Amino acid sequence: MKKDYSPHEIIFRDKKRLEEEFEKFENFPPDLKTLKPWVILAGHYHNSRFRLSKRFPDIYENQKVKLITFVRDPLAHHLSMYKFGKKKGHDFVKGLSLSDYLKKDSNFLAATLECTLENYKSRIDGYFFAGIVEEYEESLRQLSNKLGKAMVEKIPFENQTNSNMLYESLSEEEINLFRESNKLDYLIYTYCLTKLQSNVV
């Protein structure tokens, strides 16, 4: 696996140094043509400066690359990110209550995957595989089958943030408001889930 994760403020606290690292990362993406067929390039492309199509301009048309993503229930994802951000001291949650944070970055998933209401189905269909975090074992089974590989015997679980208490602290109004503000994310998630379930044997 080759990592392609952008710099962040936890490592580079000085803003000038962070911007320098951003520019290095932005201007020197990996050359996809040099990657061996068995190499997995892994990264997060949620920062608007480093969207997948900005980093690799022909990525969605490149037939030699197999795009793989995993999506998660949008609210569960936000709760996990909030808890993770607070634990690590990230700027994106600094000074924000959970209620305030849930009002930020509406349709985060759609922005990250560069989806619109008009193209989200074709965008997801363009991926070699879209897994579901809540259906992790089944997702890995189907991905293994598509790759012609044996299913792993023991599935590792890392970076877990049990967010049940955060969910229980939300009011019905807050949950409904989040769902209303993230309609596109839920359409994407539901579409990916339906595709996965349609292949369950």
Side-chain angles (χ1 to χ4, degrees):
M1 184 174 76
K2 180 179 177 63
K3 294 182 180 180
D4 188 40
Y5 297 104
S6 62
H8 57 73
E9 82 286 358
I10 297 296
I11 295 176
F12 303 104
R13 286 295 187 183
D14 179 75
K15 289 186 177 180
K16 183 179 178 183
R17 175 71 192 284
L18 179 61
E19 179 56 33
E20 289 172 353
E21 294 299 323
F22 273 163
E23 288 180 5
K24 278 188 210 172
F25 183 78
E26 194 170 25
N27 294 324
F28 298 99
D31 184 353
L32 298 181
K33 294 191 292 294
T34 66
L35 298 182
K36 301 298 183 184
W38 55 85
V39 171
I40 296 173
L41 185 69
H44 293 151
Y45 302 100
H46 57 275
N47 187 314
S48 59
R49 285 177 66 171
F50 315 126
R51 294 276 192 252
L52 197 58
S53 67
K54 282 189 177 181
R55 196 144 178 77
F56 309 106
D58 67 340
I59 192 68
Y60 295 121
E61 292 77 37
N62 191 335
Q63 298 299 311
K64 294 182 178 180
V65 174
K66 290 180 172 69
L67 291 176
I68 297 170
T69 190
F70 274 73
V71 301
R72 187 175 188 177
D73 174 271
L75 180 54
H77 177 258
H78 272 68
L79 295 177
S80 179
M81 285 297 293
Y82 181 77
K83 190 170 184 179
F84 179 81
K86 286 291 187 181
K87 180 181 177 182
K88 296 291 186 179
H90 279 287
D91 287 348
F92 69 86
V93 292
K94 193 170 287 183
L96 293 176
S97 66
L98 176 58
S99 183
D100 289 336
Y101 177 70
L102 292 180
K103 294 170 186 172
K104 281 186 62 188
D105 298 328
S106 294
N107 295 305
F108 175 90
L109 177 60
T112 302
L113 295 178
E114 302 179 285
C115 290
T116 64
L117 187 59
E118 292 74 29
N119 81 349
Y120 76 92
K121 289 184 178 180
S122 61
R123 173 70 80 227
I124 297 303
D125 289 344
Y127 273 72
F128 176 75
F129 184 77
I132 301 289
V133 172
E134 288 80 5
E135 300 288 343
Y136 198 50
E137 187 169 347
E138 175 60 27
S139 294
L140 288 185
R141 187 190 67 75
Q142 291 190 24
L143 178 57
S144 297
N145 286 342
K146 289 200 75 170
L147 291 171
K149 301 292 183 181
M151 176 68 172
V152 292
E153 292 182 9
K154 187 175 181 182
I155 300 171
F157 289 91
E158 299 178 2
N159 295 331
Q160 294 185 77
T161 57
N162 189 329
S163 306
N164 291 340
M165 289 182 65
L166 288 180
Y167 182 83
E168 291 168 3
S169 73
L170 296 174
S171 67
E172 187 176 346
E173 182 182 0
E174 286 173 317
I175 294 172
N176 290 338
L177 181 61
F178 179 85
R179 287 182 174 277
E180 183 66 27
S181 300
N182 292 272
K183 280 183 176 180
L184 182 52
D185 272 10
Y186 276 101
L187 286 172
I188 295 167
Y189 177 76
T190 301
Y191 186 63
C192 291
L193 182 59
T194 301
K195 282 173 67 78
L196 184 80
Q197 291 173 339
S198 69
N199 290 317
V200 173
V201 177

